[in-house]
Amino acid sequence: MPEPSLTAPSDDRRRSELVTALAAVRARIAEVCASVGRDPRAVTLIAVTKTRPASDVVTLAQLGVRDVGENRDQEAAAKVSEVAGLLEPAVPRPHWHFLGQIQSRKARSIASYAGTVHSVDRVDIAARLADAVAARKRERLDVFVQVSLDGDPARGGVVAASLPSVAEAVASRPELRLRGLMAVAPLGADPDEAFTELAELSARLRERHPSADAISAGMSADLDAALRHGATHVRVGTALLGRRAPVIG
Ligand SMILES: *Cc1c(COP(=O)(O)O)cnc(C)c1O
C-alpha cells in the first residue's frame, strides 16, 4: 500500500490519497475489532491534522470524518477558523479535539473551539478550562484526563497516584464532563503492556466515576494494541495523512 506523501500534490491527487488512507485505517479498525469481538462503531476515529493544511481537514470532512485532533493551540485556532471559512454549508463542522500539553494561559483559547480536550493533567488546568467554558456560556467541554504510564510526567500526563485528584477536579465542575482517560504509550515500551495498565486505571476510575468509561489511546503505530485493550478513541495522524516533517524546536 503506498504511503501518503509529504509534499503537497494537486487537490485531486491529495484527495485520492486521503480516500485510500482513510479506507485502510477504517478497515484496520474493523479488523482488529472483529478479532476481539468489539463493535467498530463504538470507536471514534480522530484524524490528527497537526502540521497539515486546512484543506486536508476540509477534504476529510467531505469524506465523512467528524473528529479532528490538534496538539498546538496557535496552529489549531488558526486552522479552525480557516476550515470554517472553507467548508460548504452542507458539510457538518468537525468536532475539534485538543491533544497537546496545555499552558494555563491557553485555556481560554482552547475552550473557544475545542469540543473535547484529551490532555488535562493538572487540577489548575481543569479549573481554568471550566472557568473559560463558563465565561463563554458555551456547552460543556468533554475532558479526558491524561495519565503518564512511565511515571515521567515530562511528556505530559498525571502520575497514577495523583489521578484521583485531577479526575475529581474535572468531575466537580458542571462546565466539564469527565469522559475517561487518555495516554500515549511510553517510548520503547511494549504497547500491549502499556495499554493493559491503562485499562486497569480506567477500571479503577470507573469505580468512582461510572460514566467516565472512554479510553483515548492508540496512534498510527500502536492502534491495534490500543483497540485490543478497549480504546474507544484512537488518534491517528501519520497513517491517514502521511509522514510529518520533523518539528524544529
Ligand atoms: C501527533 C499525535 C498523535 C498522532 O500520531 P501518529 O503517530 O501520527 O498517528 C496522536 N496523539 C497525540 C497526543 C499526538 O500528539
Side-chain angles (χ1 to χ4, degrees), residues 91-195:
V91 178
R93 314 283 100 172
H95 178 103
W96 292 89
H97 297 254
F98 190 81
L99 312 172
Q101 287 196 36
I102 304 170
Q103 296 162 285
S104 328
R105 64 192 167 83
K106 300 289 195 179
R108 287 181 62 168
S109 173
I110 293 166
S112 74
Y113 57 80
T116 304
V117 172
H118 291 241
S119 40
V120 171
D121 58 2
R122 286 178 5 212
V123 167
D124 65 303
I125 295 290
R128 293 266 188 160
L129 286 170
D131 290 347
V133 169
R136 291 187 69 85
K137 301 184 165 61
R138 53 158 284 175
E139 83 267 23
R140 263 193 320 181
L141 178 65
D142 279 0
V143 169
F144 287 84
V145 174
Q146 184 180 352
V147 289
S148 167
L149 296 176
D150 55 4
D152 173 13
R155 290 174 68 227
V158 61
V159 295
S162 306
L163 173 55
S165 60
V166 178
E168 204 56 55
V170 174
S172 69
R173 292 292 302 256
E175 299 90 346
L176 308 177
R177 181 163 71 125
L178 179 63
R179 294 289 284 113
L181 298 183
M182 179 276 225
V184 176
L187 283 174
D190 173 358
D192 274 296
E193 277 174 33
F195 296 137

Side-chain angles (χ1 to χ4, degrees), residues 48 50 71 99 182 184 219-221 235-239 244:
V48 182
K50 62 192 184 194
N71 72 334
L99 312 172
M182 179 276 225
V184 176
M219 310 178 17
S220 298
R235 312 177 308 265
V236 182
T238 310
R244 291 178 293 274

